[in-house]
């Protein structure tokens, strides 16, 4: 980036300079999107999803202590967060009000357990069956497995999962005991 800035100072063509600035801004956004939670797998999925939010005009907030999740298998970690965040992003894309196009992620220690919370606004009614939201996709036979997978992973680690909906905010809460 330092070299790009130096080169841009020498460019006299206004259009070329603008294009160079756009490329530099894009590089800065990618750098800003990189998550550093202390867990490489979590960093990968969070960075990927934050860039997806940026691309789709969705506000992203994340406060995560990824080291709390070091005991989890990488595929479980990626599957849990990947499914949860894909759902949150998809729901946010359908919202017209820019201030409600948000996804918030938190991972913190709560009394010796990893507490994971993912929040987003929603507009379509949410129907629950067995404590899980039913898919809103027309092809229900081939969809709706993400939340089941999240619950299965949570339970495999001795945790509990809860879904709360209030004031058009969807909250996925997961509590997983941290092994001694």
């Amino acid at each position: 980036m330092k070299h790009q800035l130096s080169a841009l100072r020498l460019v006299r063509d206004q259009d070329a300079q603008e294009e160079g600035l756009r490329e530099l801004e894009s590089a800065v956004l990618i750098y800003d999107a990189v998550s550093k939670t202390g867990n490489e797998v979590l960093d990968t999925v969070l960075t990927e999803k934050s860039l997806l939010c940026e691309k789709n005009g969705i506000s992203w907030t994340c406060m995560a202590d990824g080291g709390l999740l070091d005991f989890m298998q990488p595929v479980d970690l990626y599957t849990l967060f990947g499914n949860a965040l894909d759902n949150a992003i998809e729901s946010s894309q359908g919202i017209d009000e820019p201030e409600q196009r948000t996804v918030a992620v938190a991972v913190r220690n709560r009394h010796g357990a990893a507490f994971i919370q993912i929040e987003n606004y929603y507009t379509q009614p949410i129907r629950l069956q067995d404590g899980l939201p039913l898919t809103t996709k027309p092809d229900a036979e081939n969809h709706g497995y993400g939340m089941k997978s999240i619950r299965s992973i949570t339970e495999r680690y001795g945790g509990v999962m809860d879904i709360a909906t209030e004031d058009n905010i969807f909250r996925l809460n997961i509590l997983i005991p941290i092994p001694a």
Side-chain angles (χ1 to χ4, degrees), residues 2 38 46 53 64 74 76 81 91 115 133 139 151-152 162 168:
K2 180 172 56 175
L46 292 177
C53 283
D76 291 338
F81 278 90
S91 179
F115 177 66
D139 183 13
R151 180 166 61 188
S152 174
D162 174 64
N168 284 2

Side-chain angles (χ1 to χ4, degrees), residues 53 58-59 61 83-95 99-105 117-124 126 147 163-172:
C53 283
I58 298 168
S59 174
T61 57
N83 281 318
L85 291 170
D86 283 345
N87 290 342
I89 291 167
E90 184 178 324
S91 179
S92 296
Q93 286 175 315
I95 296 176
E99 68 277 0
Q100 291 186 349
R101 292 173 58 92
T102 65
V103 172
V105 180
Q117 185 174 67
I118 299 175
E119 295 181 333
N120 60 276
Y121 282 92
Y122 66 92
T123 55
Q124 301 210 350
I126 295 176
M147 292 301 288
I163 292 170
T165 57
E166 183 179 357
D167 298 327
N168 284 2
I169 298 174
F170 181 92
R171 285 185 186 89
L172 172 63

Side-chain angles (χ1 to χ4, degrees), residues 5-13 17:
L5 277 174
S6 295
L8 281 173
R9 285 193 179 105
L10 302 174
V11 174
R12 297 293 170 228
D13 177 12
Q17 194 175 48

Side-chain angles (χ1 to χ4, degrees), residues 37-67:
T37 67
N39 182 299
E40 286 185 36
V41 174
L42 186 60
D43 292 349
T44 300
V45 69
L46 292 177
T47 297
E48 176 187 325
K49 301 309 178 185
S50 70
L51 289 169
L52 189 58
C53 283
E54 177 69 32
K55 178 182 173 189
N56 289 290
I58 298 168
S59 174
W60 169 268
T61 57
C62 179
M63 293 180 54
D65 180 355

